[in-house]
Amino acid sequence: MKQQKFTKQFAEFLRIGAALVKQAEADALLIFAEGVCEWDQIKAGAGDTKTIIAADNEEALEGAKEAGLMPIVVELDESPILEKLTHALVESVADDIIATGASVVALYSGFDESRLDTISLVRLSEHLGRLTSRDLRRLETSVPLETLKHVIDLAVDIGREGREGKPVGTMFVVGDHRKVLHHSVASGFDPIKGYNRKERSIFDGRVREGIKEIAQLDGAFIINADGVVEAACRLVDVSSASVTLSKGLGARHWAGAAISKKTKSIAIVVSESNGTVRVFQNGEVMLRIEPFRRAMKWKDLDFDNAGE
């Protein structure tokens, strides 16, 4: 197993990182380890600072928990370091180590894998680029968890990637599909009409890729509780007079809120302007996901390098 030595530079970065946590009133110190470290020395150097240790595999974290540190396995061996850090932050939120609005000081090898050489202060968004099952269980719905997860993952992908370099806004309405169809009208051509159920299941990767291709068309995707797309390009025909939303949200969001209040469905709306995904139930925003990993840039996290 690869070892990462506790050098003078490591100790100095650790000292500066712990001091920055206190100075910036951050919530935790995150160290991305490139191998097994001398955990007791790290714990001693960090003192009473909440310290998260992330690494590519469990073997590299052996003994970290016993030393009083908080280990996070990333399992992204071939990915860029910023993506690894993103994943570590997501997992830390999912494990209730830090909150979604936390500030974290990160120490990592940005240039030379053999040693720590970069310190960054990261302020997390209200929501990270993916949800946990715990988040989804907050929704009191008969729609199976797996169906919701697949649809929301698809929506986040669309919000983050867009299509052919251009942002895309769209809406998915899941569950209570018969009433939803009754309260919506066709906008014209329905590209999924004529396909059998298997060819319309969002559990099929090819179907999800196909949805990405047509997501830029006007109207919503209507999906039943089993994850089968019942119709596409549907315009919601429900008054939004009984719902209240924040300023700046467009017609698609008002339609999503309205249909989720009129029926027992869950509406998932992707904002064309910034890729944000909002999940509506009973006319209210229940969850919000910021696709901050778009183009693998950290600017959406208010990412500042300490050395600048």
Side-chain angles (χ1 to χ4, degrees), residues 285-303:
V285 177
M286 302 298 293
L287 296 170
R288 170 177 152 178
I289 311 102
E290 302 290 351
F292 64 86
R293 286 181 289 174
R294 177 179 288 176
M296 294 316 302
K297 295 180 181 179
W298 281 67
K299 62 182 181 182
D300 295 326
L301 274 184
D302 192 7
F303 178 92

Side-chain angles (χ1 to χ4, degrees), residues 14 42 44 59 62 88 90 116 132 149 174 182 194 205 226 292 296:
L14 179 59
I42 292 177
E59 290 78 9
E62 185 175 351
V90 168
L116 292 180
T132 66
K149 287 172 66 175
V174 188
H182 178 71
D226 296 326
F292 64 86
M296 294 316 302

Side-chain angles (χ1 to χ4, degrees), residues 126-127 138-139 243-246 249 253-254 256-258 260 267 269 276-289:
E126 178 187 344
H127 249 281
R138 290 168 49 193
L139 303 174
V243 300
T244 303
L245 295 180
S246 302
L249 296 182
H253 294 90
W254 285 91
S260 74
V269 180
T276 299
V277 175
R278 290 177 174 84
V279 180
F280 292 88
Q281 185 179 39
N282 297 324
E284 299 180 359
V285 177
M286 302 298 293
L287 296 170
R288 170 177 152 178
I289 311 102

Side-chain angles (χ1 to χ4, degrees), residues 2 4 7 13 21 69 92 108 112 125 143 146-147 164 182 204 239 268 271 281 291 295 306-307:
K2 185 178 179 181
Q4 185 165 11
T7 62
F13 265 71
V21 169
L69 305 170
S92 296
Y108 55 98
D112 184 350
S125 304
V143 178
E146 284 304 309
T147 299
E164 298 180 353
H182 178 71
D204 188 324
S239 171
I268 300 155
S271 173
Q281 185 179 39

Side-chain angles (χ1 to χ4, degrees), residues 11-303:
E12 182 63 11
F13 265 71
L14 179 59
R15 183 190 68 78
I16 295 172
L20 183 56
V21 169
K22 290 182 171 58
Q23 181 180 353
E25 298 183 345
D27 300 276
L29 178 68
L30 169 66
I31 302 173
F32 196 93
E34 298 294 338
V36 176
C37 299
E38 297 174 58
W39 307 123
D40 290 336
Q41 288 186 278
I42 292 177
K43 178 60 179 175
D48 59 358
T49 301
K50 179 184 290 186
T51 305
I52 304 165
I53 303 292
D56 284 322
N57 51 67
E58 290 186 10
E59 290 78 9
L61 295 170
E62 185 175 351
K65 186 174 183 179
E66 290 72 14
L69 305 170
M70 300 176 180
I72 292 290
V73 181
V74 173
E75 296 182 341
L76 292 173
D77 291 5
E78 304 302 321
S79 300
I81 183 61
L82 294 187
E83 185 170 354
K84 292 181 180 182
L85 287 173
T86 299
H87 188 83
L89 291 168
V90 168
E91 292 299 329
S92 296
V93 170
D95 290 346
D96 291 326
I97 296 174
I98 55 176
T100 54
S103 295
V104 177
V105 174
L107 310 181
Y108 55 98
S109 304
F111 301 95
D112 184 350
E113 288 188 359
S114 64
R115 59 183 182 179
L116 292 180
D117 55 26
T118 307
I119 300 178
S120 299
L121 174 61
V122 184
R123 297 185 177 93
L124 281 65
S125 304
E126 178 187 344
H127 249 281
L128 299 178
R130 88 180 184 195
L131 291 171
T132 66
S133 296
R134 184 182 60 255
D135 290 320
L136 295 184
R137 290 194 182 99
R138 290 168 49 193
L139 303 174
E140 296 180 2
T141 175
S142 60
V143 178
L145 183 64
E146 284 304 309
T147 299
L148 280 177
K149 287 172 66 175
H150 274 75
V151 178
I152 291 176
D153 282 345
L154 175 58
V156 170
D157 283 346
I158 292 171
R160 182 176 61 241
E161 301 167 4
R163 213 62 191 157
E164 298 180 353
K166 297 180 180 180
V168 170
T170 193
M171 178 166 63
F172 301 91
V173 186
V174 188
D176 203 7
H177 69 278
R178 290 185 176 83
K179 285 188 178 179
V180 174
L181 287 171
H182 178 71
H183 291 290
S184 64
V185 295
S187 64
F189 173 67
D190 185 346
I192 64 102
K193 189 174 182 179
Y195 289 92
N196 63 43
R197 286 178 59 86
K198 185 177 180 180
E199 294 171 322
R200 293 183 279 120
S201 173
I202 52 94
F203 292 98
D204 188 324
R206 292 171 299 180
V207 174
R208 293 195 297 275
E209 287 303 312
I211 289 174
K212 291 180 183 181
E213 291 292 341
I214 61 176
Q216 54 197 312
L217 299 177
D218 289 336
F221 293 92
I222 312 302
I223 302 174
N224 69 26
D226 296 326
V228 176
V229 183
E230 295 288 348
C233 300
R234 300 286 294 188
L235 300 180
V236 171
D237 187 19
V238 177
S239 171
S240 59
S242 61
V243 300
T244 303
L245 295 180
S246 302
K247 292 182 179 180
L249 296 182
R252 185 180 288 115
H253 294 90
W254 285 91
I259 194 66
S260 74
K261 187 165 187 176
K262 186 71 174 181
T263 68
K264 294 181 180 180
S265 65
I266 303 293
I268 300 155
V269 180
V270 182
S271 173
E272 185 174 354
S273 61
N274 56 17
T276 299
V277 175
R278 290 177 174 84
V279 180
F280 292 88
Q281 185 179 39
N282 297 324
E284 299 180 359
V285 177
M286 302 298 293
L287 296 170
R288 170 177 152 178
I289 311 102
E290 302 290 351
F292 64 86
R293 286 181 289 174
R294 177 179 288 176
M296 294 316 302
K297 295 180 181 179
W298 281 67
K299 62 182 181 182
D300 295 326
L301 274 184
D302 192 7
F303 178 92

